[in-house]
Amino acid sequence: MPTKVAINGAAGRMGQRLVALGCQDKSLELVACFEYSGHPKFGQDAGNVAGVGELGLYLVDHTDESYDAIIDFSVPEGAHAAVERAVTAKAALVMATTGLKEEHKAKIREAANVIPVVWAPSMSTTVNLTMKLCEIAAEALKDVPGGADVEILERHHRFKEDSPSGTALRFGELIANKMGITRHIHGREGRPGARPHDEIAYHAIRTGDNPGEHTIIFGLLGETMELTVRASNRDCYASGALQAAKFAAGKPPGLYNMNDVLGL
Ligand SMILES: NC(=O)C1=CN([C@@H]2O[C@H](COP(=O)(O)OP(=O)(O)OC[C@H]3O[C@@H](n4cnc5c(N)ncnc54)[C@H](O)[C@@H]3O)[C@@H](O)[C@H]2O)C=CC1
Ligand SMILES: O=C(O)C1=N[C@H](C(=O)O)C[C@H](O)C1
């Protein structure tokens, strides 16, 4: 039986790729494409909006169809709605939206008591593998003589509304946990003085149509290591999210991540 999937934010940059890839995957059945009722393309055929031709699925804010999983690539308010939809439908939730406030994050954690939730700032295989590599590096370098300075550079398209990326923040959290770092700063200006060791700095570049690139720098005295991972289009995220939906459907309630989905 194919996994029945609903998409929240279906007319968005990511939503369109989910529709385009999801409609080709015979192990999935797209049953609902939710959108903000104020969206200019609300009510249109989701396939036409995604550029793959008519699917007979429309951009709606309600459905009577049942679904096994809902995938959210929207905005914080949309994520809030997606959690409510998933709990009401007793469906698995794949939460991909970033820039969430603490209240939204708390709601997702609460939902994981009653439904399976896969929650990740990036559904990309290479990003999640690079996170593992960064944890190994952070553990190895945490007491290196002279110290290791960690800086995280992320580059995204000009339309991205949140900063820094959720992925950059997750990289920083994982590294800080391994190295016992407590200070997280965003950019620098004025005369902040010499850089303290127990600090991770984030730098966000917003240019053009970059689908997402992260460089994690470990700077030592006399040598530097940089790990870079970059997307060439958005399909790495969309295929990861669809895989997550298939993984989560039918799972016991709980909070899962892409390591669980990818077996990393
Ligand atoms: N976890 C991951 O792998 C990835 C996460 N993202 C995140 O996904 C989010 C969306 O990214 P994009 O698709 O580029 O943004 P976008 O702005 O192109 O799409 C967001 C869509 O959500 C819709 N929306 C807003 N409120 C809604 C509601 N209440 N219900 C349903 N839909 C609603 C908007 O109308 C829009 O179509 C961002 O937070 C981004 O950081 C993006 C790429 C990968
Ligand atoms: O907004 C985007 O495009 C992306 N957002 C995610 C994030 O904030 O980490 C994931 C990816 O980098 C693309």
Side-chain angles (χ1 to χ4, degrees):
M1 284 291 280
T3 303
K4 293 185 172 185
V5 172
I7 297 168
N8 200 49
R13 287 175 289 268
M14 280 304 310
Q16 289 182 44
R17 294 315 301 158
L18 287 167
V19 170
L21 297 188
C23 72
Q24 295 170 19
D25 186 334
K26 298 306 175 208
S27 65
L28 292 170
E29 182 187 351
L30 296 183
V31 297
C33 290
F34 295 121
E35 246 307 335
Y36 168 55
S37 58
H39 192 284
K41 297 185 177 178
F42 187 77
Q44 291 187 23
D45 184 286
N48 283 338
V49 171
V52 295
E54 277 199 17
L55 294 176
L57 272 175
Y58 299 93
L59 297 171
V60 297
D61 62 2
H62 172 78
T63 186
D64 293 329
E65 292 288 334
S66 66
Y67 42 88
D68 304 307
I70 181 168
I71 302 173
D72 182 64
F73 283 85
S74 62
V75 295
E77 298 70 29
H80 185 278
V83 174
E84 293 191 329
R85 290 185 194 281
V87 170
T88 302
K90 296 184 174 56
L93 171 66
V94 177
M95 177 48 67
T97 300
T98 59
L100 302 178
K101 296 191 178 105
E102 277 312 312
E103 65 208 61
H104 302 123
K105 295 178 181 179
K107 193 171 180 67
I108 295 164
R109 292 189 193 100
E110 183 186 350
N113 293 321
V114 295
I115 58 170
V117 177
V118 176
W119 186 9
S122 180
M123 304 296 176
S124 151
T125 299
T126 53
V127 163
N128 285 280
L129 180 55
T130 304
M131 286 176 175
K132 286 281 186 183
L133 298 177
C134 282
E135 287 186 289
I136 294 168
E139 181 66 34
L141 297 173
K142 65 183 180 184
D143 298 318
V144 69
D149 305 321
V150 178
E151 306 259 326
I152 298 175
L153 173 62
E154 55 102 331
R155 305 167 192 242
H156 284 85
H157 51 92
R158 66 174 64 161
F159 308 103
K160 185 168 179 56
E161 295 178 357
D162 58 317
S163 182
S165 67
T167 301
L169 292 172
R170 182 64 178 148
F171 270 116
E173 180 186 6
L174 292 169
I175 292 166
N177 288 345
K178 290 289 186 186
M179 299 181 79
I181 292 173
T182 57
R183 271 166 54 86
H184 298 262
I185 69 163
H186 300 274
R188 290 186 183 86
E189 61 178 353
R191 282 178 61 84
R195 178 204 204 283
H197 279 324
D198 69 334
E199 170 177 293
I200 293 179
Y202 303 79
H203 310 279
I205 294 173
R206 294 290 177 267
T207 54
D209 60 357
N210 192 320
E213 182 175 338
H214 293 81
T215 295
I216 298 83
I217 303 166
F218 294 86
L220 286 63
L221 298 180
E223 53 191 315
T224 294
M225 181 174 85
E226 297 187 6
L227 295 173
T228 293
V229 55
R230 64 172 68 91
S232 34
N233 57 50
R234 289 181 170 85
D235 288 1
C236 60
Y237 311 123
S239 56
L242 293 169
Q243 188 177 349
K246 286 183 261 188
F247 165 87
K251 279 282 189 305
L255 203 46
Y256 301 86
N257 59 36
M258 283 306 287
N259 292 336
D260 300 313
V261 175
L262 299 168
L264 292 180

mmCIF file of all heavy atoms in Angstrom, residues 63-99:
data_model
loop_
_atom_site.group_PDB
_atom_site.id
_atom_site.type_symbol
_atom_site.label_atom_id
_atom_site.label_comp_id
_atom_site.label_asym_id
_atom_site.label_seq_id
_atom_site.Cartn_x
_atom_site.Cartn_y
_atom_site.Cartn_z
ATOM 1 N N THR A 63 -9.154 19.212 3.971
ATOM 2 C CA THR A 63 -9.433 18.008 3.195
ATOM 3 C C THR A 63 -10.184 17.007 4.058
ATOM 4 O O THR A 63 -10.028 17.001 5.284
ATOM 5 C CB THR A 63 -8.138 17.355 2.665
ATOM 6 O OG1 THR A 63 -8.492 16.258 1.806
ATOM 7 C CG2 THR A 63 -7.279 16.808 3.817
ATOM 8 N N ASP A 64 -11.002 16.196 3.435
ATOM 9 C CA ASP A 64 -11.648 15.065 4.140
ATOM 10 C C ASP A 64 -10.859 13.783 3.921
ATOM 11 O O ASP A 64 -11.219 12.733 4.453
ATOM 12 C CB ASP A 64 -13.098 14.896 3.642
ATOM 13 C CG ASP A 64 -13.981 16.091 4.041
ATOM 14 O OD1 ASP A 64 -13.690 16.673 5.119
ATOM 15 O OD2 ASP A 64 -14.894 16.457 3.266
ATOM 16 N N GLU A 65 -9.807 13.883 3.091
ATOM 17 C CA GLU A 65 -8.972 12.709 2.824
ATOM 18 C C GLU A 65 -8.179 12.356 4.079
ATOM 19 O O GLU A 65 -7.729 13.237 4.818
ATOM 20 C CB GLU A 65 -7.982 13.017 1.692
ATOM 21 C CG GLU A 65 -8.616 13.208 0.327
ATOM 22 C CD GLU A 65 -9.111 11.884 -0.257
ATOM 23 O OE1 GLU A 65 -8.563 10.823 0.113
ATOM 24 O OE2 GLU A 65 -10.070 11.933 -1.055
ATOM 25 N N SER A 66 -7.950 11.062 4.289
ATOM 26 C CA SER A 66 -7.047 10.643 5.370
ATOM 27 C C SER A 66 -5.641 10.538 4.806
ATOM 28 O O SER A 66 -5.465 10.342 3.587
ATOM 29 C CB SER A 66 -7.472 9.277 5.933
ATOM 30 O OG SER A 66 -7.305 8.278 4.931
ATOM 31 N N TYR A 67 -4.657 10.724 5.675
ATOM 32 C CA TYR A 67 -3.266 10.601 5.232
ATOM 33 C C TYR A 67 -2.421 10.004 6.350
ATOM 34 O O TYR A 67 -2.744 10.109 7.533
ATOM 35 C CB TYR A 67 -2.692 11.941 4.759
ATOM 36 C CG TYR A 67 -3.040 13.143 5.611
ATOM 37 C CD1 TYR A 67 -2.249 13.509 6.707
ATOM 38 C CD2 TYR A 67 -4.155 13.933 5.319
ATOM 39 C CE1 TYR A 67 -2.558 14.617 7.474
ATOM 40 C CE2 TYR A 67 -4.476 15.045 6.079
ATOM 41 C CZ TYR A 67 -3.678 15.381 7.151
ATOM 42 O OH TYR A 67 -3.995 16.482 7.929
ATOM 43 N N ASP A 68 -1.318 9.344 5.934
ATOM 44 C CA ASP A 68 -0.436 8.677 6.894
ATOM 45 C C ASP A 68 0.622 9.628 7.442
ATOM 46 O O ASP A 68 1.160 9.410 8.535
ATOM 47 C CB ASP A 68 0.281 7.509 6.207
ATOM 48 C CG ASP A 68 -0.689 6.529 5.575
ATOM 49 O OD1 ASP A 68 -1.597 6.066 6.304
ATOM 50 O OD2 ASP A 68 -0.570 6.256 4.362
ATOM 51 N N ALA A 69 0.951 10.659 6.629
ATOM 52 C CA ALA A 69 2.005 11.593 7.038
ATOM 53 C C ALA A 69 1.745 12.951 6.410
ATOM 54 O O ALA A 69 1.192 13.031 5.303
ATOM 55 C CB ALA A 69 3.374 11.081 6.608
ATOM 56 N N ILE A 70 2.129 13.977 7.115
ATOM 57 C CA ILE A 70 2.087 15.339 6.570
ATOM 58 C C ILE A 70 3.486 15.926 6.646
ATOM 59 O O ILE A 70 4.179 15.766 7.665
ATOM 60 C CB ILE A 70 1.056 16.221 7.311
ATOM 61 C CG1 ILE A 70 1.004 17.637 6.697
ATOM 62 C CG2 ILE A 70 1.294 16.264 8.800
ATOM 63 C CD1 ILE A 70 -0.181 18.461 7.175
ATOM 64 N N ILE A 71 3.915 16.559 5.557
ATOM 65 C CA ILE A 71 5.253 17.155 5.463
ATOM 66 C C ILE A 71 5.103 18.668 5.469
ATOM 67 O O ILE A 71 4.334 19.215 4.663
ATOM 68 C CB ILE A 71 5.958 16.728 4.158
ATOM 69 C CG1 ILE A 71 6.069 15.210 4.070
ATOM 70 C CG2 ILE A 71 7.325 17.393 4.068
ATOM 71 C CD1 ILE A 71 6.606 14.713 2.719
ATOM 72 N N ASP A 72 5.779 19.334 6.389
ATOM 73 C CA ASP A 72 5.655 20.787 6.499
ATOM 74 C C ASP A 72 6.925 21.505 6.081
ATOM 75 O O ASP A 72 7.975 21.366 6.717
ATOM 76 C CB ASP A 72 5.311 21.193 7.938
ATOM 77 C CG ASP A 72 5.143 22.695 8.058
ATOM 78 O OD1 ASP A 72 4.206 23.231 7.435
ATOM 79 O OD2 ASP A 72 5.986 23.350 8.706
ATOM 80 N N PHE A 73 6.824 22.236 5.007
ATOM 81 C CA PHE A 73 7.823 23.210 4.547
ATOM 82 C C PHE A 73 7.055 24.499 4.354
ATOM 83 O O PHE A 73 6.537 24.787 3.265
ATOM 84 C CB PHE A 73 8.451 22.805 3.200
ATOM 85 C CG PHE A 73 9.477 21.733 3.246
ATOM 86 C CD1 PHE A 73 9.117 20.393 3.217
ATOM 87 C CD2 PHE A 73 10.837 22.061 3.262
ATOM 88 C CE1 PHE A 73 10.081 19.394 3.220
ATOM 89 C CE2 PHE A 73 11.809 21.056 3.271
ATOM 90 C CZ PHE A 73 11.424 19.727 3.246
ATOM 91 N N SER A 74 6.894 25.287 5.452
ATOM 92 C CA SER A 74 6.067 26.485 5.307
ATOM 93 C C SER A 74 6.736 27.658 6.030
ATOM 94 O O SER A 74 7.866 28.047 5.687
ATOM 95 C CB SER A 74 4.639 26.227 5.818
ATOM 96 O OG SER A 74 4.631 25.902 7.203
ATOM 97 N N VAL A 75 6.050 28.202 7.010
ATOM 98 C CA VAL A 75 6.547 29.300 7.836
ATOM 99 C C VAL A 75 6.160 28.942 9.273
ATOM 100 O O VAL A 75 5.367 28.005 9.469
ATOM 101 C CB VAL A 75 5.912 30.652 7.418
ATOM 102 C CG1 VAL A 75 6.323 31.042 6.005
ATOM 103 C CG2 VAL A 75 4.388 30.612 7.532
ATOM 104 N N PRO A 76 6.689 29.620 10.279
ATOM 105 C CA PRO A 76 6.362 29.224 11.658
ATOM 106 C C PRO A 76 4.867 29.078 11.930
ATOM 107 O O PRO A 76 4.444 28.085 12.530
ATOM 108 C CB PRO A 76 7.011 30.339 12.480
ATOM 109 C CG PRO A 76 8.220 30.711 11.666
ATOM 110 C CD PRO A 76 7.760 30.625 10.225
ATOM 111 N N GLU A 77 4.062 29.988 11.439
ATOM 112 C CA GLU A 77 2.610 29.894 11.674
ATOM 113 C C GLU A 77 2.041 28.674 10.949
ATOM 114 O O GLU A 77 1.160 27.981 11.443
ATOM 115 C CB GLU A 77 1.882 31.161 11.200
ATOM 116 C CG GLU A 77 2.297 32.442 11.908
ATOM 117 C CD GLU A 77 3.718 32.902 11.555
ATOM 118 O OE1 GLU A 77 4.185 32.601 10.423
ATOM 119 O OE2 GLU A 77 4.362 33.514 12.417
ATOM 120 N N GLY A 78 2.598 28.384 9.768
ATOM 121 C CA GLY A 78 2.153 27.216 9.030
ATOM 122 C C GLY A 78 2.563 25.938 9.725
ATOM 123 O O GLY A 78 1.808 24.959 9.727
ATOM 124 N N ALA A 79 3.732 25.960 10.338
ATOM 125 C CA ALA A 79 4.208 24.788 11.075
ATOM 126 C C ALA A 79 3.276 24.488 12.245
ATOM 127 O O ALA A 79 2.939 23.345 12.536
ATOM 128 C CB ALA A 79 5.630 25.028 11.568
ATOM 129 N N HIS A 80 2.838 25.567 12.890
ATOM 130 C CA HIS A 80 1.882 25.428 14.012
ATOM 131 C C HIS A 80 0.621 24.727 13.515
ATOM 132 O O HIS A 80 0.106 23.788 14.121
ATOM 133 C CB HIS A 80 1.565 26.822 14.548
ATOM 134 C CG HIS A 80 0.696 26.858 15.756
ATOM 135 N ND1 HIS A 80 -0.680 26.756 15.680
ATOM 136 C CD2 HIS A 80 0.999 26.960 17.081
ATOM 137 C CE1 HIS A 80 -1.195 26.816 16.894
ATOM 138 N NE2 HIS A 80 -0.194 26.936 17.768
ATOM 139 N N ALA A 81 0.150 25.151 12.341
ATOM 140 C CA ALA A 81 -1.060 24.544 11.764
ATOM 141 C C ALA A 81 -0.808 23.094 11.376
ATOM 142 O O ALA A 81 -1.671 22.230 11.568
ATOM 143 C CB ALA A 81 -1.515 25.349 10.546
ATOM 144 N N ALA A 82 0.388 22.818 10.883
ATOM 145 C CA ALA A 82 0.714 21.448 10.460
ATOM 146 C C ALA A 82 0.723 20.495 11.647
ATOM 147 O O ALA A 82 0.255 19.357 11.547
ATOM 148 C CB ALA A 82 2.070 21.420 9.768
ATOM 149 N N VAL A 83 1.221 20.969 12.776
ATOM 150 C CA VAL A 83 1.229 20.125 13.980
ATOM 151 C C VAL A 83 -0.205 19.776 14.362
ATOM 152 O O VAL A 83 -0.539 18.621 14.633
ATOM 153 C CB VAL A 83 1.949 20.822 15.145
ATOM 154 C CG1 VAL A 83 1.816 20.004 16.431
ATOM 155 C CG2 VAL A 83 3.422 21.041 14.827
ATOM 156 N N GLU A 84 -1.063 20.773 14.337
ATOM 157 C CA GLU A 84 -2.472 20.544 14.697
ATOM 158 C C GLU A 84 -3.143 19.584 13.717
ATOM 159 O O GLU A 84 -3.872 18.684 14.110
ATOM 160 C CB GLU A 84 -3.213 21.879 14.764
ATOM 161 C CG GLU A 84 -2.721 22.759 15.913
ATOM 162 C CD GLU A 84 -3.619 23.962 16.171
ATOM 163 O OE1 GLU A 84 -4.208 24.442 15.183
ATOM 164 O OE2 GLU A 84 -3.720 24.387 17.336
ATOM 165 N N ARG A 85 -2.848 19.773 12.410
ATOM 166 C CA ARG A 85 -3.414 18.864 11.409
ATOM 167 C C ARG A 85 -2.960 17.429 11.673
ATOM 168 O O ARG A 85 -3.754 16.486 11.645
ATOM 169 C CB ARG A 85 -2.970 19.256 9.990
ATOM 170 C CG ARG A 85 -3.539 20.537 9.426
ATOM 171 C CD ARG A 85 -3.085 20.697 7.978
ATOM 172 N NE ARG A 85 -3.306 22.034 7.442
ATOM 173 C CZ ARG A 85 -4.472 22.493 7.001
ATOM 174 N NH1 ARG A 85 -5.538 21.725 7.075
ATOM 175 N NH2 ARG A 85 -4.566 23.724 6.504
ATOM 176 N N ALA A 86 -1.648 17.260 11.967
ATOM 177 C CA ALA A 86 -1.094 15.911 12.151
ATOM 178 C C ALA A 86 -1.707 15.231 13.370
ATOM 179 O O ALA A 86 -2.115 14.067 13.302
ATOM 180 C CB ALA A 86 0.418 15.996 12.297
ATOM 181 N N VAL A 87 -1.824 15.982 14.463
ATOM 182 C CA VAL A 87 -2.371 15.386 15.695
ATOM 183 C C VAL A 87 -3.833 15.008 15.486
ATOM 184 O O VAL A 87 -4.275 13.913 15.830
ATOM 185 C CB VAL A 87 -2.200 16.356 16.879
ATOM 186 C CG1 VAL A 87 -2.969 15.875 18.097
ATOM 187 C CG2 VAL A 87 -0.712 16.522 17.219
ATOM 188 N N THR A 88 -4.580 15.913 14.843
ATOM 189 C CA THR A 88 -6.002 15.631 14.590
ATOM 190 C C THR A 88 -6.175 14.421 13.684
ATOM 191 O O THR A 88 -7.038 13.578 13.905
ATOM 192 C CB THR A 88 -6.666 16.867 13.937
ATOM 193 O OG1 THR A 88 -6.511 17.988 14.806
ATOM 194 C CG2 THR A 88 -8.139 16.622 13.654
ATOM 195 N N ALA A 89 -5.297 14.331 12.673
ATOM 196 C CA ALA A 89 -5.396 13.232 11.699
ATOM 197 C C ALA A 89 -4.729 11.948 12.199
ATOM 198 O O ALA A 89 -4.755 10.919 11.522
ATOM 199 C CB ALA A 89 -4.765 13.657 10.374
ATOM 200 N N LYS A 90 -4.073 12.038 13.367
ATOM 201 C CA LYS A 90 -3.281 10.901 13.895
ATOM 202 C C LYS A 90 -2.280 10.424 12.839
ATOM 203 O O LYS A 90 -2.101 9.226 12.598
ATOM 204 C CB LYS A 90 -4.178 9.754 14.361
ATOM 205 C CG LYS A 90 -5.094 10.111 15.550
ATOM 206 C CD LYS A 90 -5.879 8.892 16.025
ATOM 207 C CE LYS A 90 -6.682 9.191 17.304
ATOM 208 N NZ LYS A 90 -7.612 10.379 17.133
ATOM 209 N N ALA A 91 -1.663 11.427 12.175
ATOM 210 C CA ALA A 91 -0.694 11.151 11.116
ATOM 211 C C ALA A 91 0.706 11.492 11.597
ATOM 212 O O ALA A 91 0.877 12.292 12.516
ATOM 213 C CB ALA A 91 -1.040 12.000 9.887
ATOM 214 N N ALA A 92 1.690 10.879 10.957
ATOM 215 C CA ALA A 92 3.083 11.240 11.224
ATOM 216 C C ALA A 92 3.336 12.650 10.701
ATOM 217 O O ALA A 92 2.673 13.091 9.747
ATOM 218 C CB ALA A 92 4.013 10.250 10.546
ATOM 219 N N LEU A 93 4.267 13.338 11.351
ATOM 220 C CA LEU A 93 4.625 14.703 10.957
ATOM 221 C C LEU A 93 6.102 14.743 10.567
ATOM 222 O O LEU A 93 6.952 14.269 11.320
ATOM 223 C CB LEU A 93 4.368 15.678 12.115
ATOM 224 C CG LEU A 93 4.880 17.104 11.959
ATOM 225 C CD1 LEU A 93 4.156 17.836 10.833
ATOM 226 C CD2 LEU A 93 4.709 17.867 13.274
ATOM 227 N N VAL A 94 6.383 15.294 9.378
ATOM 228 C CA VAL A 94 7.765 15.585 8.970
ATOM 229 C C VAL A 94 7.898 17.097 9.028
ATOM 230 O O VAL A 94 7.317 17.819 8.224
ATOM 231 C CB VAL A 94 8.079 15.067 7.559
ATOM 232 C CG1 VAL A 94 9.497 15.461 7.138
ATOM 233 C CG2 VAL A 94 7.920 13.547 7.515
ATOM 234 N N MET A 95 8.641 17.574 10.027
ATOM 235 C CA MET A 95 8.771 19.015 10.278
ATOM 236 C C MET A 95 10.085 19.513 9.712
ATOM 237 O O MET A 95 11.144 19.150 10.223
ATOM 238 C CB MET A 95 8.663 19.301 11.768
ATOM 239 C CG MET A 95 8.853 20.778 12.148
ATOM 240 S SD MET A 95 7.892 21.937 11.171
ATOM 241 C CE MET A 95 6.222 21.501 11.703
ATOM 242 N N ALA A 96 10.006 20.334 8.680
ATOM 243 C CA ALA A 96 11.196 20.845 7.992
ATOM 244 C C ALA A 96 11.346 22.349 8.128
ATOM 245 O O ALA A 96 12.415 22.893 7.876
ATOM 246 C CB ALA A 96 11.142 20.475 6.515
ATOM 247 N N THR A 97 10.297 23.040 8.534
ATOM 248 C CA THR A 97 10.323 24.496 8.619
ATOM 249 C C THR A 97 11.301 24.965 9.690
ATOM 250 O O THR A 97 11.389 24.353 10.754
ATOM 251 C CB THR A 97 8.903 25.019 8.919
ATOM 252 O OG1 THR A 97 8.029 24.610 7.863
ATOM 253 C CG2 THR A 97 8.872 26.538 9.033
ATOM 254 N N THR A 98 12.043 26.025 9.378
ATOM 255 C CA THR A 98 13.015 26.562 10.335
ATOM 256 C C THR A 98 12.586 27.960 10.772
ATOM 257 O O THR A 98 11.558 28.464 10.348
ATOM 258 C CB THR A 98 14.413 26.662 9.675
ATOM 259 O OG1 THR A 98 14.321 27.520 8.528
ATOM 260 C CG2 THR A 98 14.906 25.284 9.263
ATOM 261 N N GLY A 99 13.387 28.563 11.644
ATOM 262 C CA GLY A 99 13.035 29.895 12.146
ATOM 263 C C GLY A 99 11.883 29.846 13.118
ATOM 264 O O GLY A 99 11.147 30.816 13.287
#
